[in-house]
Amino acid sequence: MTETPAPVAVRLRGITKTFGSNTVVQPLDLDIRDGEFFSILGPSGCGKTTLMRMITGFETPTDGSIELDGRNVDKVATRDRDLNMLFQSYALFPHLSVYENVAFELRVRRTPKAELDGRVREALQLVRLADFAERKPSELSGGQRQRVALARAVVGRPAVVLLDEPLGALDQKLRKEMQFELKRMQREVGITFIYVTHDQEEALTMSDRIAVMSAGRVLQVASPIDIYDAPASRFVAGFIGSCNLIPARMEAGKAICSGFGAVPADTVDAQARGVRDGDEVVVAVRPERITLHADPALAPAGAARGVLAERVFLGDEWTVHVSTQGAVLTVQVPSGENGAALAALADGAEVAVSWTPAAGRILPAEEAAA
Ligand SMILES: Nc1ncnc2c1ncn2[C@@H]1O[C@H](COP(=O)(O)OP(=O)(O)OP(=O)(O)O)[C@@H](O)[C@H]1O
Ligand SMILES: [Mg+2]
């Protein structure tokens, strides 16, 4: 790894989209680097596809400008932008073989025969379909068809490939396999991938960086680890993984929750981010960072008391709800010793929960106004 960041492949400045009176993408700045696996993650209707369509040129931004590889493309047609898009609902040509489906674009561009053949075979190899070249789409599984669509998207070696929920139609197992395949493929070819999903796990496992979107805004752009461990807002904390959000108010530099007292939290970090006394906040704590004490008498000082409200056995762990004075907390308890102690308890038993201050992240109670 070098210290110099890769050059910017896609640069968005003030990009906005309004349909009638409805602004679906709010003014947005974004830099996506060369060779990056960049995901756009957000709930249905937040503007992901619209954003992708503006980058490709299928949609004209209401305002703002787009650069690809340092070149302004505001007036450049889709076919002259060095990119390809794999749509949410892709379609293969049913009457053409796998080979011809992948070759189609190169034929349109009148690529010389030998080069075309080399490229198509290479793309099929990449998606591990070299032995399926002569099949028709109807003779393939859903996952194999998906891989043909992928081969077709990369065969022309564009600088950027945009993928809009490409795995949405696949079942869970196939999805997981394809996630690894996609990631491997992207590394091999070094193409910049812009990947849209509303599946947070998918975004976490595949991406170099993630942009979290909500209601037409990008709320945070960061690595998967930072998005998970250091969410910048209540929405991001709640949207990525499961997270306890304990309502509190800042008093004398501490997060105070009625009934809970001082909530263990990283106050230094909160101050650095501008949280002040008098602010309404939430303390975000991940379930796996909370320790459950089956015997409250043995809990460390500062642990909160509660009662066991619900528990679900998941094999490798338990998901437990503990009802405290301040909030109902979700706690993840690994199976094994602690899990055995938990299993022995009766519903409604008194327990205690604790976590280190570093595990509690203080966030503004209200999102910035939309
Ligand atoms: N051509 C259009 N005319 C009017 N409104 C539109 C148009 N295209 C999209 N919208 C609206 O813009 C908003 C964002 O749509 P978009 O398709 O970008 O969402 P998305 O994040 O891709 O959602 P999903 O995850 O469901 O695919 C939605 O409210 C949608 O109804
Ligand atoms: Mg969409």
Side-chain angles (χ1 to χ4, degrees), residues 19 22 24 42-51 59 88 165 198:
F19 291 113
N22 192 11
V24 301
S44 184
C46 72
K48 305 182 295 293
T49 297
T50 306
L51 181 58
E59 199 78 72
Q88 216 159 352
E165 307 225 17
H198 59 241

Side-chain angles (χ1 to χ4, degrees), residues 155 236-237 355:
V155 72
V236 175
W355 59 90

Side-chain angles (χ1 to χ4, degrees), residues 156-184:
R157 298 203 199 132
V160 179
V161 174
L162 299 97
L163 306 99
D164 193 347
E165 307 225 17
L167 309 182
L170 305 180
D171 69 39
Q172 189 60 21
K173 185 164 176 286
L174 212 50
R175 231 182 134 97
K176 286 258 178 294
E177 284 172 22
M178 284 297 295
Q179 286 173 8
F180 283 102
E181 288 288 295
L182 260 175
K183 185 76 196 155
R184 173 191 61 83

Side-chain angles (χ1 to χ4, degrees), residues 92-348:
L92 302 176
F93 299 113
H95 57 289
L96 295 183
S97 67
V98 165
Y99 184 98
E100 286 303 328
N101 262 284
V102 177
F104 189 83
E105 186 193 312
L106 299 181
R107 288 213 195 282
V108 171
R109 284 204 255 144
R110 303 189 187 285
T111 306
K113 205 168 168 215
E115 186 190 340
L116 176 143
D117 188 63
R119 289 238 214 150
V120 172
R121 301 230 172 259
E122 187 191 56
L124 288 176
Q125 208 115 49
L126 201 60
V127 297
R128 305 201 164 145
L129 284 179
D131 296 337
F132 293 74
E134 299 317 318
R135 295 247 193 126
K136 293 277 169 56
S138 60
E139 297 162 341
L140 299 175
S141 72
Q144 289 163 343
R145 262 178 252 161
Q146 184 66 51
R147 301 218 292 267
V148 177
L150 269 169
R152 208 171 51 173
V154 299
V155 72
R157 298 203 199 132
V160 179
V161 174
L162 299 97
L163 306 99
D164 193 347
E165 307 225 17
L167 309 182
L170 305 180
D171 69 39
Q172 189 60 21
K173 185 164 176 286
L174 212 50
R175 231 182 134 97
K176 286 258 178 294
E177 284 172 22
M178 284 297 295
Q179 286 173 8
F180 283 102
E181 288 288 295
L182 260 175
K183 185 76 196 155
R184 173 191 61 83
M185 218 182 88
Q186 190 260 348
R187 281 215 197 95
E188 268 180 47
V189 292
I191 295 177
T192 306
F193 268 28
I194 308 181
Y195 189 90
V196 162
T197 177
H198 59 241
D199 179 336
Q200 36 118 349
E201 198 186 312
E202 193 165 290
L204 289 175
T205 50
M206 298 177 77
S207 319
D208 296 314
R209 285 192 304 156
I210 301 173
V212 180
M213 271 187 92
S214 167
R217 285 173 199 281
V218 170
L219 300 181
Q220 189 171 5
V221 181
S223 70
I225 290 174
D226 283 348
I227 287 273
Y228 189 83
D229 282 340
S233 67
R234 184 186 179 140
F235 179 87
V236 175
F239 192 70
I240 314 290
S242 92
C243 198
N244 293 291
L245 298 169
I246 303 164
R249 194 181 140 84
M250 295 306 290
E251 288 170 28
K254 292 191 166 129
I256 306 295
C257 169
S258 57
F260 219 104
V263 185
D266 187 345
T267 49
V268 176
D269 168 68
Q271 271 168 22
R273 286 182 298 115
V275 174
R276 298 281 170 265
D277 276 357
D279 288 356
E280 300 291 335
V281 295
V282 293
V283 179
V285 192
R286 298 280 180 200
E288 71 271 20
R289 301 199 64 179
I290 302 180
T291 306
L292 181 92
H293 307 277
D295 183 353
L298 299 178
R305 299 280 176 124
V307 296
L308 203 58
E310 239 182 303
R311 62 196 134 162
V312 181
F313 182 58
L314 297 172
D316 56 342
E317 65 182 34
W318 291 79
T319 298
V320 185
H321 289 173
V322 175
S323 189
T324 69
Q325 288 284 319
V328 178
L329 299 179
T330 302
V331 184
Q332 227 166 291
V333 182
S335 306
E337 214 171 297
N338 215 358
L342 173 71
L345 290 175
D347 280 343

